[in-house]
Amino acid sequence: MAGIKEKTGRAQTHGLIKLIFENQELIFPPSIDRLLHMKKILMLLAFPLFMWTGKEAHAQQAAGSYLISGALDLVKTDVPGVIRRYQIGVEANYFHWHNISFSGGYEFNYNRPNQVSLGGRFYPLEPAFIRMRGLIGKDSDIAFGAGYTFNLSYRLRLEGMVDYYAVSNVAGLRAGLSFLIN
């Protein structure tokens, strides 16, 4: 208790801001850190919804089409900064219907084991989609995500996605290119 009084006495001479920074662990307990981490994850998950402009769009893919894509994680919540630990994924989607696809792919990880991915996408409002993938390998995980597709041409698409990895409690922002084969 004496240490807190001593810190409080010094902080009064230097201002309230110094008091907050010196006693950060008392003011913001570890449970607050978890809440701030979850807030970051929720903001990343909401990102694709803000990208959707509401323009009328028509599905280009038909039942029986394939979508081949590659993407790179730009930001992940477990690593500070942009592209500090890379995770690159390639995947192929088969459209069972024009708005539902099943996918298989491979994830290349920098300092973790590589993984096979199996999952699917659902396009409730084209060009926005939601997806789920199981990552199979040494550090298996399950990812839930949302994304937005911007058509560069009839066949070439730019995609932005946000994934939440449930087992590792991490969120990632991903960008990539995809190619449609009818």
Side-chain angles (χ1 to χ4, degrees):
M1 208 57 179
I4 294 173
K5 287 181 182 178
E6 180 182 308
K7 286 183 182 178
T8 306
R10 279 187 299 167
Q12 287 175 348
T13 60
H14 297 289
L16 182 61
I17 294 174
K18 189 167 183 165
L19 172 72
I20 291 171
F21 283 112
E22 287 181 351
N23 296 303
Q24 194 171 10
E25 64 278 351
L26 297 174
I27 296 169
F28 301 111
S31 60
I32 296 296
D33 288 339
R34 272 195 235 134
L35 287 174
L36 294 175
H37 180 71
M38 284 301 294
K39 184 178 178 184
K40 239 195 300 190
I41 289 171
L42 289 174
M43 292 299 288
L44 282 173
L45 288 174
F47 181 74
L49 296 176
F50 293 120
M51 288 177 49
W52 183 55
T53 60
K55 294 179 183 175
E56 183 73 24
H58 300 286
Q60 293 180 349
Q61 66 272 356
S65 297
Y66 291 92
L67 184 69
I68 309 299
S69 60
L72 166 71
D73 280 358
L74 302 174
V75 178
K76 291 191 95 165
T77 57
D78 64 338
V79 180
V82 177
I83 311 178
R84 296 293 173 102
R85 175 177 58 96
Y86 74 81
Q87 180 174 341
I88 299 171
V90 293
E91 82 180 5
N93 285 275
Y94 171 76
F95 284 90
H96 186 65
W97 291 295
H98 77 279
N99 62 346
I100 293 180
S101 71
F102 300 103
S103 66
Y106 197 74
E107 296 287 321
F108 299 94
N109 294 296
Y110 172 61
N111 56 5
R112 297 176 44 177
N114 296 337
Q115 299 164 315
V116 172
S117 66
L118 296 172
R121 289 184 180 188
F122 172 59
Y123 291 79
L125 296 169
E126 178 83 25
F129 62 88
I130 55 176
R131 70 184 199 154
M132 188 211 56
R133 298 179 307 140
L135 302 172
I136 303 165
K138 186 175 178 189
D139 295 331
S140 295
D141 210 333
I142 186 164
F144 302 97
Y148 182 84
T149 299
F150 179 77
N151 297 326
L152 298 173
S153 70
Y154 176 75
R155 296 199 184 279
L156 188 62
R157 300 174 175 187
L158 179 63
E159 294 184 332
M161 295 161 274
V162 174
D163 287 321
Y164 172 70
Y165 299 89
V167 175
S168 57
N169 194 26
V170 172
L173 179 62
R174 178 175 275 210
L177 288 172
S178 59
F179 186 77
L180 180 67
I181 302 170
N182 284 356

